[in-house]
Amino acid sequence: MLSARVVFSALLLSACSALAAPAPALTDISKRQSITALTSSQISAFKPFTFFASTAYCQPANTLAWNCGANCNANADFIPTASGGDGSSVQFWYVGFSPSQGSVIVAHQGTDTSQIEADLTDAEAILTNFDTTLFPGISSSVEGHDGFLKEQAKTANTILAAVKTTIAAHGATKVTVVGHSLGGALALLDGVFLPLHISGVTFRTITYGMPRVGNQAFADYVDSHISLTHINNKEDLVPILPGRFLGFHHPSGEVHIMDNNQWVSCPGQDNTSTECSTGDVPNIFDGSTGDHDGPYDGVTMGC
């Protein structure tokens, strides 16, 4: 079974290899479109979901009881349906309904940042085809990170059942999937997976410090089918992993928190402006693991 440590070891190794490889050419879209600042009300609208992502680090028993201190108190009206994971071979996750947001919430735990550099192994980040049983109709040109796909498959059907139960119980019409770090990668994969099996509701994915999950065809698929916002904090190095030279590519939808704490919307895929994550952190030596957990508008990830 692929642990979170192995997954992130692969990411770091791929980044080190990328230092010796030429960077891809700038995309036309990053040249054409303007980077814009978010308003204070736009930033505040993300905060409940930031807390939902942070809550995913809490023990499943506590999230199921919705008794996890400040994280749970920030979304006090939340009604949990199911939770699981062991925090090692299977990341923590939970599903429930938020009356104040009018949405089913699906949340995935991320990785302990303190272990990222300490746990290097010989694992490699590779691209592979999607399982067409879990992802029916996905083109063979669409490829994802092998480790992330294996992690998502462990909980896919259990989470699908919990989401269906929650929709039925609350008459929900919206589903929001959230996660930080590795949890962000799993959230994006769930954001692709769930609409293939559930109709009649709208889906949105919001991630924090998310690594690259798939290839160019995957990024294009996400842009065409998924409502995604991926928020990156300052010089966080995780969003630049795995390296683009390995064929990995971010979808559109980045929001970058700059050093002056201004939040900006970065149009296009892997925008190379220095105001956006890919341009601001060209390699891991210009990045910081200290920025990975936040704060995101005052919220630091963890339970």
Side-chain angles (χ1 to χ4, degrees):
M1 299 175 74
L2 206 70
S3 71
R5 294 186 180 189
V6 171
V7 168
F8 264 95
S9 295
L11 292 180
L12 282 175
L13 286 172
S14 70
C16 292
S17 300
L19 295 178
L26 295 175
T27 60
D28 288 340
I29 195 167
S30 66
K31 296 177 182 178
R32 288 198 309 267
Q33 297 180 315
S34 298
I35 294 165
T36 56
L38 274 65
T39 65
S40 58
S41 62
Q42 288 174 317
I43 295 169
S44 296
F46 285 111
K47 200 159 192 174
F49 302 105
T50 313
F51 274 113
F52 280 129
S54 185
T55 303
Y57 283 90
C58 300
Q59 290 290 327
N62 292 334
T63 54
L64 191 60
W66 209 243
N67 180 22
C68 61
N71 278 322
C72 289
N73 293 340
N75 290 297
D77 65 345
F78 184 73
I79 305 167
T81 301
S83 64
D86 59 16
S88 178
S89 61
V90 180
Q91 300 301 102
F92 295 155
W93 61 269
Y94 68 88
V95 175
F97 182 71
S98 168
S100 58
Q101 299 300 323
S103 179
V104 176
I105 303 295
V106 181
H108 285 277
Q109 176 199 19
T111 303
D112 183 351
T113 309
S114 67
Q115 298 174 352
I116 292 177
E117 292 182 305
D119 297 318
L120 291 175
T121 71
D122 61 356
E124 293 290 342
I126 60 171
L127 288 162
T128 189
N129 291 124
F130 280 60
D131 180 341
T132 54
T133 301
L134 291 177
F135 297 89
I138 295 289
S139 168
S140 60
S141 66
V142 175
E143 296 179 325
H145 185 292
D146 182 64
F148 297 158
L149 286 169
K150 288 177 179 175
E151 289 283 337
Q152 188 268 344
K154 295 173 185 177
T155 58
N157 288 320
T158 303
I159 287 176
L160 174 61
V163 171
K164 287 181 175 179
T165 297
T166 309
I167 290 171
H170 299 280
T173 59
K174 296 191 295 184
V175 176
T176 307
V177 193
V178 302
H180 167 253
S181 193
L182 172 58
L186 299 176
L188 179 54
L189 290 173
D190 268 0
V192 173
F193 163 72
L194 291 169
L196 297 174
H197 300 272
I198 300 173
S199 59
V201 298
T202 60
F203 290 86
R204 182 184 186 189
T205 301
I206 303 171
T207 70
Y208 303 81
M210 180 182 72
R212 295 187 180 102
V213 176
N215 66 353
Q216 178 72 70
F218 173 77
D220 293 342
Y221 181 91
V222 170
D223 284 0
S224 298
H225 295 83
I226 306 300
S227 173
L228 169 67
T229 302
H230 51 114
I231 301 170
N232 299 322
N233 185 49
K234 300 182 180 179
E235 274 75 48
D236 182 6
L237 61 81
V238 172
I240 69 164
L241 307 174
R244 288 180 291 163
F245 86 104
L246 290 172
F248 288 86
H249 210 74
H250 269 308
S252 302
E254 181 191 5
V255 169
H256 186 221
I257 305 171
M258 299 196 299
D259 287 342
N260 63 2
N261 291 314
Q262 184 177 46
W263 292 42
V264 296
S265 175
C266 295
Q269 301 174 348
D270 267 315
N271 194 310
T272 53
S273 166
T274 55
E275 293 182 287
C276 304
S277 186
T278 299
D280 192 28
V281 188
N283 59 67
I284 60 170
F285 297 118
D286 288 325
S288 169
T289 58
D291 289 331
H292 185 50
D293 288 342
Y296 300 87
D297 190 23
V299 180
T300 299
M301 294 293 169
C303 192

